[in-house]
Amino acid sequence: MTSRSNYALESKMKVVAVYGTLSDLLSVASSKLGIKATSVYNGKGGLIDDIALIRDDDVLFVCEGEPFIDPQTDSKPPEGLSGSHTDWLTLNVGGRYFTTTRSTLVNKEPDSMLAHMFKDKGVWGNKQDHRGAFLIDRSPEYFEPILNYLRHGQLIVNDGINLLGVLEEARFFGIDSLIQHLEVAIKNSQPPEDHSPISRKEFVRFLLATPTKSELRCQGLNFSGADLSRLDLRYINFKMANLSRCNLAHANLCCANLERADLSGSVLDCANLQGVKMLCSNAEGASLKLCNFEDPSGLKANLEGANLKGVDMEGSQMTGINLRVATLKNAKLKNCNLRGATLAGTDLENCDLSGCDLQEANLRGSNVKGAIFEEMLTPLHMSQSVR
């Protein structure tokens, strides 16, 4: 006959004589085993309530009132599931009740805030509502996916729940492994960036929706291949925009900012470019025939450092234009008005300047190797120090 406590079986076996009533048996067991025996079980866990049910070969187990524990199994609870961790708890999260076990909150993420909050009993003190639920002042809709993750290790979020909100809660509670899952999920849920060019229809709608006195900023936008011909684009900021292969013929670009913009292969024939800023822009291979860069008010167009290789600017009005250190290699400037233009340090190699008006133009330090100056309106003087 063996006695046992609530969590362990007594390993020492004792044989006693069984006689009299069940009460007599319990009294003898209490005396022999040094316990206050109240119940008797057979080897299969059956409760003995009559001494007549005991057979001669039965091994009996007595206890002090605890439920039966099979002596053939390990008497110790699994690691991490001691009595304090198997308690059922009710949480009041933002007014919504969740029921779970202490082990769910503690075991998966032992270093998290939730684990530290519920690892030991009594840590919350009086922070319970009238129903005894532990109060947590957080969003219940974002807490639910976190609790389910702690239960089964899977990130499951219902439709309509913002992943960014769940991520913020996971960071608050210190659920590190869930944070990684959420960051990946958020990244995968983002729509791919749209780099497609802006169409004429979209841009016209944009223009019409913008007050005339408001500054229109189009820095870095992609207009590649768009038809923007004959549009009023005055004063618009196209800095670093992609305008390659655009049709800008007859467009009004007066005082527009095209600094570092890509205009390669574009058509700007007959465009109004008075006072335009095209510093360091790339207009290689573009067509700028019959363009007007000349501003009657004296505001000069600035194309300093621009890449104008192979451009066709035939017949353009460019009085006073600033082309300092620009590259005009193989460009066509036939019959252009370059009176008073700044061409200091400009690369004019193999450039066609026939029929140009270069009166008072500054060509100091420019490269005119292979350039064509036939039929010039103003002869080029040595004092202009060309290379």
Side-chain angles (χ1 to χ4, degrees):
M1 186 175 294
T2 302
S3 74
R4 67 170 191 55
S5 65
N6 193 28
Y7 296 111
L9 291 171
E10 191 75 43
S11 61
K12 182 179 180 180
M13 302 297 290
K14 291 189 179 183
V15 179
V16 299
V18 177
Y19 58 89
T21 65
L22 185 60
S23 297
D24 295 331
L25 172 59
L26 292 172
S27 178
V28 172
S30 297
S31 176
K32 295 290 185 181
L33 299 175
I35 65 172
K36 187 177 181 180
T38 60
S39 304
V40 181
Y41 296 88
N42 63 21
K44 295 183 178 179
L47 179 64
I48 304 297
D49 58 4
D50 190 336
I51 198 168
L53 299 174
I54 301 173
R55 297 182 301 181
D56 290 341
D57 58 348
D58 270 347
V59 177
L60 303 178
F61 300 87
V62 297
C63 72
E64 296 177 295
E66 307 89 340
F68 177 78
I69 295 179
D70 189 346
Q72 303 301 318
T73 62
D74 186 0
S75 62
K76 296 181 180 180
E79 183 178 355
L81 292 177
S82 61
S84 64
H85 285 185
T86 54
D87 300 337
W88 283 93
L89 304 171
T90 299
L91 310 178
N92 181 344
V93 182
R96 182 175 165 189
Y97 289 92
F98 296 88
T99 300
T100 186
T101 62
R102 197 181 299 272
S103 60
T104 296
L105 301 174
V106 169
N107 287 356
K108 186 169 182 62
E109 289 279 348
D111 295 324
S112 69
M113 179 189 293
L114 278 175
H116 288 298
M117 287 160 61
F118 292 100
K119 189 171 294 182
D120 300 311
K121 293 183 178 180
V123 296
W124 278 79
N126 61 355
K127 296 181 181 178
Q128 294 173 266
D129 65 11
H130 64 284
R131 295 172 53 179
F134 295 103
L135 292 162
I136 299 179
D137 185 20
R138 304 299 294 182
S139 169
E141 67 176 5
Y142 297 145
F143 180 78
E144 184 177 13
I146 292 175
L147 181 58
N148 286 332
Y149 175 78
L150 294 175
R151 286 167 171 160
H152 47 61
Q154 299 296 319
L155 173 60
I156 300 175
V157 181
N158 294 333
D159 292 340
I161 302 298
N162 192 329
L163 288 174
L164 289 172
V166 182
L167 175 61
E168 190 60 32
E169 295 300 287
R171 287 173 174 162
F172 176 80
F173 289 115
I175 316 296
D176 292 339
S177 59
L178 178 57
I179 292 172
Q180 298 173 9
H181 286 298
L182 284 164
E183 287 175 341
V184 172
I186 290 170
K187 183 178 180 180
N188 293 337
S189 68
Q190 298 297 322
E193 292 186 18
D194 185 8
H195 295 291
S196 57
I198 298 172
S199 67
R200 179 186 179 92
K201 183 178 180 180
E202 291 171 325
F203 191 54
V204 169
R205 189 183 299 119
F206 183 43
L207 289 174
L208 293 175
T210 306
T212 54
K213 294 183 179 180
S214 298
E215 181 182 3
L216 199 56
R217 298 186 178 187
C218 299
Q219 299 102 311
L221 296 184
N222 184 6
F223 295 90
S224 180
D227 180 8
L228 304 178
S229 60
R230 300 181 184 276
L231 292 180
D232 186 356
L233 306 175
R234 289 174 296 172
Y235 302 102
I236 295 179
N237 189 344
F238 288 106
K239 187 175 182 179
M240 294 185 289
N242 182 0
L243 293 156
S244 61
R245 306 186 313 281
C246 277
N247 181 4
L248 288 158
H250 298 275
N252 186 356
L253 287 158
C254 176
C255 296
N257 186 352
L258 293 162
E259 184 178 345
R260 300 184 184 276
D262 185 1
L263 291 155
S264 57
S266 293
V267 176
L268 292 94
D269 295 346
C270 302
N272 181 7
L273 296 167
Q274 294 174 334
V276 71
K277 297 178 182 178
M278 291 178 61
L279 286 83
C280 302
S281 60
N282 176 23
E284 184 171 355
S287 177
L288 291 92
K289 291 184 288 185
L290 301 173
C291 287
N292 180 24
F293 291 88
E294 185 178 353
D295 188 351
S297 67
L299 185 61
K300 298 179 180 180
N302 191 348
L303 280 74
E304 184 172 338
N307 177 13
L308 300 168
K309 289 182 181 177
V311 298
D312 187 350
M313 304 178 80
E314 184 174 350
S316 292
Q317 294 295 319
M318 296 188 283
T319 301
I321 192 172
N322 181 6
L323 288 166
R324 184 176 176 274
V325 299
T327 300
L328 284 153
K329 188 175 182 179
N330 299 315
K332 296 179 181 178
L333 279 78
K334 190 173 182 180
N335 299 321
C336 285
N337 182 357
L338 288 162
R339 182 184 291 263
T342 300
L343 295 162
T346 304
D347 185 358
L348 296 168
E349 184 176 348
N350 298 322
C351 185
D352 186 356
L353 291 159
S354 57
C356 286
D357 183 356
L358 287 163
Q359 187 175 346
E360 299 179 359
N362 181 4
L363 288 158
R364 184 169 297 153
S366 60
N367 177 18
V368 295
K369 181 180 179 181
I372 300 173
F373 293 98
E374 297 176 0
E375 302 177 4
M376 287 179 57
L377 295 182
T378 303
L380 197 65
H381 300 288
M382 293 300 294
S383 60
Q384 292 173 296
S385 301
V386 296
R387 290 185 284 122

